[in-house]
Structure formats: structure tokens, C-alpha cells
């Protein structure tokens, strides 16, 4: 399994991976919302997850993208999901760009098997224009000296 291989090379316990939490907010606006900001250089993103904290008021798809300071915005997963998501629904992605965002039940969700290199800029979430809110979490490590990833 690819994730196990990555974890063996640089395990979370080694202190090389860092976790950043983004507080719950209304990100279901119908437009891209910045959820994390990268500065100072490239980072390697190992896990990116979301959690619905207030039930969605209607059907909504969602996707994660990167919006680099230099270059073109790129989806890092295709849009996924289609039903009203209950509080506790988890979002994830495989790390394969063409694969849809994964929507898990309140009990669990798959995480990335393929880490993604992200350059200076923003990681965004785009959800449908419905009521509801979500929080997000990212596990990452710097690839360049001085690189940081913080909640937006």
C-alpha cells in the first residue's frame, strides 16, 4: 500500500510531519474558499480532510484545488458528493488528480495514497451554494527551507 510506504519513509512520529487545523466556517458558497496558505516554498501534502460541522441545507458537490501565486489554478481532485451531507460527514481524496473527492460517512473516510507537492499559494475548497459549514485538517512537511502551511 502506497500510504504505508510513505509513512515508513517519513513516519508521523519522527516530527517531520506537521498538522494544521482550520476552524469550522461556511465554505459552501458556490465559489473557491481559501482553506490553507503556503508561503516560503514548496510543501508535500500527505493528508487533507474535511468534516461537516453543520448539516448541509441541500445537495452539494465539493472539490479541493491549489491556487499558486504564479501559474494556473489546478484541481487536485474532481468534484464529488451529491446528497445532503449530515453533521460529521468526512471528506478526503486519493491524491490522484482525476479522482473525485471522497465523501465518507460520519464514521470514516479514505486518505491520500499519493502525496501532492504544492507550491506557494493557496489550497481551496469549492462546495455548492448551500447552508452548512466544515472544518479542515492538513498533514504536511516542507520541501524547501522556510516553507510554511497555515490555516487561511
Amino acid at each position: 500500500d502506497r500510504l504505508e510506504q510513505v509513512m515508513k519513509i517519513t513516519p508521523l512520529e519522527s516530527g517531520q510531519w506537521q498538522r494544521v487545523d482550520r476552524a469550522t466556517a461556511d465554505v459552501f458558497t458556490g465559489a473557491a474558499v481559501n482553506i490553507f496558505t503556503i508561503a516560503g516554498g514548496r510543501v508535500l501534502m500527505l493528508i487533507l480532510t474535511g468534516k461537516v460541522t453543520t448539516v448541509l441545507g441541500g445537495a452539494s458537490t465539493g472539490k479541493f484545488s491549489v491556487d499558486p501565486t504564479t501559474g494556473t489554478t489546478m484541481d487536485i481532485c474532481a468534484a464529488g458528493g451529491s446528497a445532503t451531507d449530515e453533521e460529521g460527514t468526512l471528506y478526503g481524496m486519493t491524491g490522484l488528480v482525476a479522482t473525485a473527492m471522497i465523501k465518507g460517512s460520519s464514521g470514516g473516510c479514505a486518505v491520500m495514497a499519493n502525496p501532492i507537492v504544492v507550491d506557494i499559494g493557496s489550497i481551496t475548497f469549492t462546495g455548492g451554494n448551500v447552508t452548512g459549514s466544515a472544518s479542515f485538517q492538513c498533514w504536511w512537511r516542507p520541501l524547501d527551507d522556510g516553507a510554511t502551511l497555515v490555516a487561511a
Side-chain angles (χ1 to χ4, degrees):
D1 171 58
R2 178 77 179 124
L3 181 58
E4 288 178 4
Q5 292 172 351
V6 171
M7 297 296 281
K8 286 178 184 172
I9 294 169
T10 52
L12 293 174
E13 296 87 291
S14 72
Q16 296 180 40
W17 294 99
Q18 299 178 49
R19 185 185 90 200
V20 175
D21 296 311
R22 185 184 191 274
T24 189
D26 177 6
V27 294
F28 299 95
T29 64
V33 174
N34 291 345
I35 57 173
F36 296 104
T37 302
I38 297 98
R42 298 168 303 149
V43 300
L44 182 65
M45 184 172 54
L46 177 67
I47 300 171
L48 178 60
T49 62
K51 181 178 182 178
V52 174
T53 54
T54 304
V55 65
L56 301 190
S60 176
T61 59
K63 67 178 179 178
F64 295 105
S65 304
V66 293
D67 185 10
T69 301
T70 303
T72 305
T73 299
M74 179 184 98
D75 295 341
I76 52 176
C77 69
S82 61
T84 300
D85 296 339
E86 66 183 1
E87 185 174 336
T89 298
L90 301 174
Y91 299 141
M93 55 186 251
T94 65
L96 296 174
V97 174
T99 305
M101 182 185 79
I102 300 165
K103 182 180 86 170
S105 67
S106 297
C109 183
V111 295
M112 295 167 47
N114 300 289
I116 297 175
V117 175
V118 183
D119 208 349
I120 298 169
S122 299
I123 298 171
T124 66
F125 176 80
T126 304
N129 190 10
V130 297
T131 59
S133 59
S135 61
F136 296 90
Q137 184 178 85
C138 184
W139 283 88
W140 68 282
R141 64 179 281 191
L143 290 179
D144 296 321
D145 291 340
T148 61
L149 185 149
V150 298

